[in-house]
Amino acid sequence: MSRAEVEDTYAEAFKSLYAEFLITARDRTWLDHALHAATGNASSTILCDCEAGLDRYVGPGGDESFATPDGRPGAIVQLHVPRFRKDRVEALERSLLVRISQNVLTCPTAACFNLLDADPYYKLGRKIAYFGDGYQFRDVRHGRRVWVVPILGGEFVVDRRFGYREGLMGGNIWYFGRDVDSALAAAERGVTAVERIPGVIMSFPGGIAGSGSKAGSRYSFMVASTYEKFCPTLREKLGEKSGLPEGVGSVMEIIINGRDLKSIIDATQAAIAASRETPHLVRISAGNYAGRLGKSFIYLHPDKQPPLH
């Protein structure tokens, strides 16, 4: 079986502030409802308030080496905002507050626990607990200091503190396929491999972006726009300015955010190994801006990756 070329290049990740929390629920059905609502409309901070996604399922039915506080099925979620935002601390807290209060508290049988024992932290539980209209109370549940909010379905339990720290955004892999089917099949294989790596998320629908973008635009009100040199339908119009290899009819991208550089490197290499032999995949590549966006490089050729300190 033929193997796609892996271009000698790198993805360029940039610093984020991120929070990590655990949602639990009675069963996988209601866990998924809470998870999908809490991570919705969070593909890209180009226009979304944050980038959010599932790290992995834990507890019963998931990674059972990770025991959930209440012994129920759980999902680990990450929320990221770019560190270059001047209001990054406030922006991340707002995203947490809105998403947990409106999408987790409201979901039948759900509970929410902090996973970053970090200082600084947000006193987020107290803000969410105000929904209790004076009937909320502090308690110790499952060995944790929590707020308990009486709700029509019973009780909503949420940790008092939610930590945050620096992470990374913008790791990426590009799949150049002969057609849409081959590019998408390769990306799907990559997504499945990344899902097995702890500490990372993929925030786009199904983990895949079919509209990879570049920074900036000819329109002053746009901060990002289509990456025209890699659009297959523009190859003839662009001529020599096209960046597509011969025979490429579609490009799909995986974007990876994570807690640290090693996690994103591991996810990238897992995705490459899982997808390289996809039929009619021409090339695997990545996007970068020569260090102008971020200083954390994820090399597609592992022998080029400098040692991590």
Side-chain angles (χ1 to χ4, degrees), residues 37-99:
T39 59
N41 191 30
S43 296
S44 169
T45 54
I46 290 173
L47 278 180
C48 302
D49 61 292
C50 68
E51 295 184 9
L54 169 70
D55 175 342
R56 65 194 187 280
Y57 291 102
V58 294
D63 178 359
E64 297 194 8
S65 68
F66 189 109
T68 60
D70 54 13
R72 304 189 302 169
I76 297 176
V77 174
Q78 287 183 12
L79 266 61
H80 291 253
V81 298
R83 193 182 183 283
F84 57 69
R85 283 186 62 162
K86 292 182 179 180
D87 66 342
R88 55 189 176 270
V89 175
E90 297 80 9
L92 181 59
E93 182 181 28
R94 176 69 177 173
S95 292
L96 278 168
L97 176 62
V98 169
R99 291 171 181 274

Side-chain angles (χ1 to χ4, degrees), residues 24-33 72-73 108-109:
T24 66
R26 184 186 69 175
D27 52 43
R28 179 66 174 268
T29 295
W30 287 107
L31 177 63
D32 278 344
H33 283 309
R72 304 189 302 169
T109 78

Side-chain angles (χ1 to χ4, degrees), residues 39-275:
T39 59
N41 191 30
S43 296
S44 169
T45 54
I46 290 173
L47 278 180
C48 302
D49 61 292
C50 68
E51 295 184 9
L54 169 70
D55 175 342
R56 65 194 187 280
Y57 291 102
V58 294
D63 178 359
E64 297 194 8
S65 68
F66 189 109
T68 60
D70 54 13
R72 304 189 302 169
I76 297 176
V77 174
Q78 287 183 12
L79 266 61
H80 291 253
V81 298
R83 193 182 183 283
F84 57 69
R85 283 186 62 162
K86 292 182 179 180
D87 66 342
R88 55 189 176 270
V89 175
E90 297 80 9
L92 181 59
E93 182 181 28
R94 176 69 177 173
S95 292
L96 278 168
L97 176 62
V98 169
R99 291 171 181 274
I100 294 175
S101 68
Q102 301 304 297
N103 301 299
V104 185
L105 181 152
T106 60
C107 183
T109 78
C112 193
F113 304 100
N114 169 55
L115 291 182
L116 290 185
D117 185 14
D119 192 357
Y121 56 83
Y122 302 117
K123 294 182 179 179
L124 196 77
R126 180 179 64 181
K127 293 185 177 182
I128 294 169
Y130 281 128
F131 180 72
D133 198 29
Y135 295 97
Q136 70 273 21
F137 59 94
R138 289 180 291 184
D139 201 358
V140 176
R141 299 281 180 92
H142 320 297
R144 305 174 75 94
R145 293 156 57 89
V146 300
W147 279 97
V148 180
V149 183
I151 57 174
L152 272 64
E155 292 180 331
F156 178 67
V157 176
V158 60
D159 272 350
R160 298 185 200 176
R161 296 178 176 181
F162 283 73
Y164 62 92
R165 60 168 62 116
E166 283 192 359
L168 287 173
M169 304 173 72
N172 64 84
I173 310 168
W174 292 1
Y175 292 101
F176 293 67
R178 187 182 69 179
D179 49 29
V180 170
D181 289 344
S182 54
L184 189 56
E188 288 173 339
R189 292 183 179 186
V191 165
T192 299
V194 173
E195 287 175 340
R196 300 190 183 105
I197 306 299
V200 296
I201 64 167
M202 297 168 287
S203 60
F204 282 82
I208 301 168
S211 59
S213 60
K214 67 178 186 297
S217 167
R218 67 176 65 188
Y219 303 109
S220 60
F221 54 85
M222 295 285 289
V223 298
S225 58
T226 191
Y227 215 149
E228 72 284 350
K229 66 183 292 185
F230 295 105
C231 291
T233 59
L234 297 179
R235 178 188 277 110
E236 291 186 10
K237 181 176 289 187
L238 294 176
E240 293 182 355
K241 294 182 179 180
S242 173
L244 287 177
E246 190 66 30
V248 173
S250 182
V251 180
M252 298 290 169
E253 181 179 17
I254 297 176
I255 294 91
I256 306 170
N257 298 343
R259 61 168 68 124
D260 52 36
L261 183 57
K262 183 180 186 305
S263 299
I264 299 179
I265 291 171
D266 290 347
T268 299
Q269 291 303 322
I272 291 172
S275 57

